[in-house]
Amino acid sequence: MVKGQNVALASLSDNVGSVMVGLGWSSPTGEGDADVSVLLLNADGKVRSDADFYFYNNLVAADGSVQLLGKVPTEDGEEDRIGFDLTAVPADVDRIVVAASRYRGARFGELDDVRVTLADGSGEGLLRFAIDDADSVSAIIFGELYRRGEEWKFRAVGQGYASGLAGLATDFGVDIDDADADETVTAVDEAAADEAAVDGRVSDGAGAAPAAPAPRAVLEAVPAPRPPADEPVREKAAARPRTAKKKVTLPRKPAKTLAENDSWKQARLFPVSALKSDRDREMRATSVLLSVMAQVPEFGRRLTAAFGAPAGRMETFTEVSLPHGDTPRRPDGVIRVERAGKLWTALVETKTNGNALKADQVQAYMDIAARRGYEAVITLSNDVALEGSPLVDVKIDKRRKHKVALWHLSWAEVAHQAQMLIRHEGVGNAAHAWLLHELLHYLQHENSGCHGFQNMGPAWVPVRNGIDDETLCQGDPRALEVVESWERLVRQVCLRLGGELGQKVLPVQRSRRGTDPQVRRGILADRLCTDGRLQAELRIEGTPGVLALTADLRTGKLRTSIEIPAPEQGYPLSWAKRLVRQLAEAPADLHVETLVDSETGGPRGTLERLRPEPGDLLPKDGGVRITGFRLSLLKGMGSGRGSAETGFIRSVDDAVQRFYTSVVVHLDRGTQRRAAVRETIG
């Protein structure tokens, strides 16, 4: 679409009762980000009340019409998604404005590929609008959904606001309070967190277990004193939306165990010691996961929101029998969400260990779901889905008016979401935190079979041998299989590292916008055949650069590296000394290379040699300009295709973990980040 253009949704799809809007952008520095917001407007172009303003402190509408679903990775980086149930939008809402804003003085002109996309209820993309003229504005209206008679239309807007989120919201009648969160509440939250850290346990009639603190639960458990009968009741002032983000109190470490020695094992809510067969693992894993999803609303919502499920009361089921021809089918599980009298239903097919999904099973569930009016089929396995490369091929009968969406979830994604909630973001109460803690322990146990992507596939050994003896030719389909497995592994590494850090970690794709994913992978496969290397880049929120990862199959070495830009002020010798001081605790075998604007390259050496003489990092030719520094670590590469101690997958995980914890965390992120931003926009 182009700016100002509008289109009727019904002309694009028959399934537009609910739609998914995605707002996306990319950042040259890896640091750029923005927050989405939604405003429901009446015929006068104003909100009916402040409750019609949805943003990061108000995520879901009470009637389920608006749901801010958060960020998801895409081929071009990531996008923020918003779900709309257009059938639930109140009749007096005439227009829905979709916007995004930046903060702390940042501008949209610093971002690339600013865009909005819209998909129907089955996940099929319907339209795309790119905003090419974003400049010095800090907020943008991307587009709007509006009524015309009985149908909904979408208009591409692209209007900028220099006054940010608060200015945009105020223009539409929202009464903004831009103050920071109340200090008293914050202090009570922190005190409650300290108290929970000292106790370290929660009891709910089922025994005690470690748990993350839940400060809100402590506040809600203490009733307020009852006022005297003759005292007049004071009406609480209406709260105004706060555009300042709420503080997040990080969970503390669990209390020290009371066991006499390490041989004592805690009683677990979800035991795994008795699991013997693959069928046992699948049944237990499905039941455990679906049970926790139903009992911990934050967790269940986190997993189903991206699939178009509403925010409502969730029930989950196993051992369900559904008619299908002469033989009933028994999906591993069913998820049902009820909102305002409407039901959203998804069938679940689960695999554990290295078991692959079966196309005929998934096809049968897609057919059953279509006949019964269910919304989705969710497959769950250790594999990681890639765009343009489905795990199973299913046929969709386009003659059916009711469309069923097919979604995939990796066990690594499940563990990532559990980690994010209990270790970084917090949940509603201590019992919920304990349940998630038990789930995470179950998923990470060696008997669960839920360890994520763990096999590079049958093509791994032939490709390695072909590279060693130089017999692997371009166009060999086995090379493409290895490239796809590599991409799955990199995505899983991002999930695991992001869960540990509580930060966004996303793979970087250096391809032109709109490039077919399979074409891009074909190019990478040909490159693997010629130079024997697999390469990837990870963008980690809050770091001064992009973490590069290279697996050289010829030498059997893994290289992890990061490039940091040179400061704009000061002297080169001061830069070198400061960098060496920052890396005081880094490994002695860390390679440091000076980047210069010359084809000959700059000086390089190990940190062990450079510590006494940082000046060795300076070029001998004083006229050469230093542009930055590259830090690299080398590590031996596992040979096996699996995730055992000597396997390739484990070696990649260990290499990224070691480089981040021993090198990246010691860098001065603030100064380097500001330098990178100035270099990009200047």
Side-chain angles (χ1 to χ4, degrees), residues 636-655:
M637 187 176 74
S639 56
R641 68 183 186 181
S643 58
E645 288 287 345
T646 59
F648 175 72
I649 292 175
R650 178 71 63 85
S651 66
V652 172
D653 263 329
D654 292 345

Side-chain angles (χ1 to χ4, degrees), residues 557-626:
K557 296 288 185 180
L558 285 169
R559 176 186 292 270
T560 44
S561 63
I562 190 170
E563 293 184 8
I564 56 177
E568 289 191 347
Q569 298 179 350
Y571 298 97
L573 182 58
S574 300
W575 303 343
K577 289 181 177 179
R578 186 162 178 257
L579 179 61
V580 171
R581 285 198 303 270
Q582 290 176 16
L583 299 172
E585 299 180 17
D589 60 342
L590 178 70
H591 286 246
V592 184
E593 178 185 358
T594 304
L595 305 177
V596 297
D597 56 357
S598 171
E599 296 181 358
T600 58
R604 66 183 68 187
T606 63
L607 190 58
E608 182 179 28
R609 185 177 67 81
L610 293 170
R611 277 171 175 155
E613 294 294 339
D616 289 348
L617 281 172
L618 304 184
K620 301 302 181 183
D621 183 359
V624 176
R625 185 173 72 92
I626 297 176

Side-chain angles (χ1 to χ4, degrees), residues 53 55-57 165-166 169 176-179 241-245:
F53 177 36
F55 63 120
Y56 45 72
N57 281 340
L165 176 61
I176 290 295
D177 179 3
D178 215 6
R242 291 183 181 273
T243 58
K245 287 190 176 180

